[in-house]
Amino acid sequence: PMSEPKPITKRLRFSSDTKPAKNTDHTVISDFEIGQNLVYSSDLGQKEHIVYEGVAHDGLKHIIRHKDGSRSLVNKTHLSFIDQIGFDNLPSTPLDYCKEVGKGITQEQAQKLAYPRSLTPEQQELMSWHHRLYHLPFHKMLTLAKFGIL
């Protein structure tokens, strides 16, 4: 005779982006104001200027009005302020990083950064002590060496 399986009980946890923010009056709080112009970023990466119309009844979605007058329910993560700095323009692949070379620095400067010159054995030892002493300033290290401590 087998016993009945125990029912599985799970706790529902919200992330900070999806958890409805509520105050003591049980009204939903939003970072945006009704009628505010915002930028909506779709899942496909397309951006559109929209008008914010408020929080949906469930407190998880936000109501926006598109330029054509249609309304949509969207997550807060898709909304941003018009002049808000985003991470959309950061290079994400090695090829994207390669394309960035030449925009801020020259090819020669990039080569110097990628392949720094070799250090002499004395310079290597000094750098080794610099790291071992938690990046102690060089002038202090030279003072310690002058007194025979290093």
Side-chain angles (χ1 to χ4, degrees):
M2 295 181 75
S3 63
E4 290 281 325
K6 293 183 180 180
I8 298 173
T9 57
K10 290 186 176 182
R11 284 189 154 164
L12 182 61
R13 293 185 183 226
F14 291 101
S15 72
S16 61
D17 290 337
T18 57
K19 185 175 183 179
K22 296 189 177 190
N23 62 14
T24 55
D25 299 334
H26 301 292
T27 56
V28 180
I29 300 171
S30 173
D31 296 336
F32 310 115
E33 295 178 17
I34 295 175
Q36 186 175 18
N37 292 317
L38 300 173
V39 175
Y40 167 68
S41 302
S42 69
D43 289 327
L44 302 173
Q46 299 170 338
K47 294 187 182 247
E48 174 187 358
H49 287 267
I50 53 93
V51 176
Y52 183 74
E53 296 217 335
V55 181
H57 294 293
D58 62 2
L60 298 175
K61 301 272 185 178
H62 297 266
I63 305 166
I64 60 170
R65 185 178 70 235
H66 300 275
K67 285 184 179 180
D68 64 0
S70 63
R71 289 181 171 80
S72 300
L73 290 175
V74 298
N75 287 326
K76 178 182 176 181
T77 55
H78 292 283
L79 299 175
S80 61
F81 296 105
I82 290 180
D83 294 329
Q84 183 173 343
I85 297 172
F87 296 106
D88 302 340
N89 62 347
L90 290 178
S92 57
T93 64
L95 184 60
D96 292 339
Y97 280 100
C98 289
K99 290 177 185 175
E100 290 293 314
V101 173
K103 291 185 180 177
I105 60 174
T106 65
Q107 183 71 29
E108 183 181 327
Q109 290 170 327
Q111 287 286 27
K112 284 183 181 179
L113 288 172
Y115 302 104
R117 65 182 177 91
S118 299
L119 300 177
T120 65
E122 292 84 13
Q123 290 171 325
Q124 288 177 357
E125 185 176 359
L126 183 65
M127 285 301 290
S128 174
W129 279 106
H130 174 68
H131 288 283
R132 281 190 242 167
L133 296 172
Y134 301 101
H135 299 274
L136 186 69
F138 288 106
H139 68 87
K140 290 185 180 182
M141 290 175 49
L142 293 173
T143 304
L144 291 174
K146 182 178 171 183
F147 291 114
I149 298 171
L150 281 182

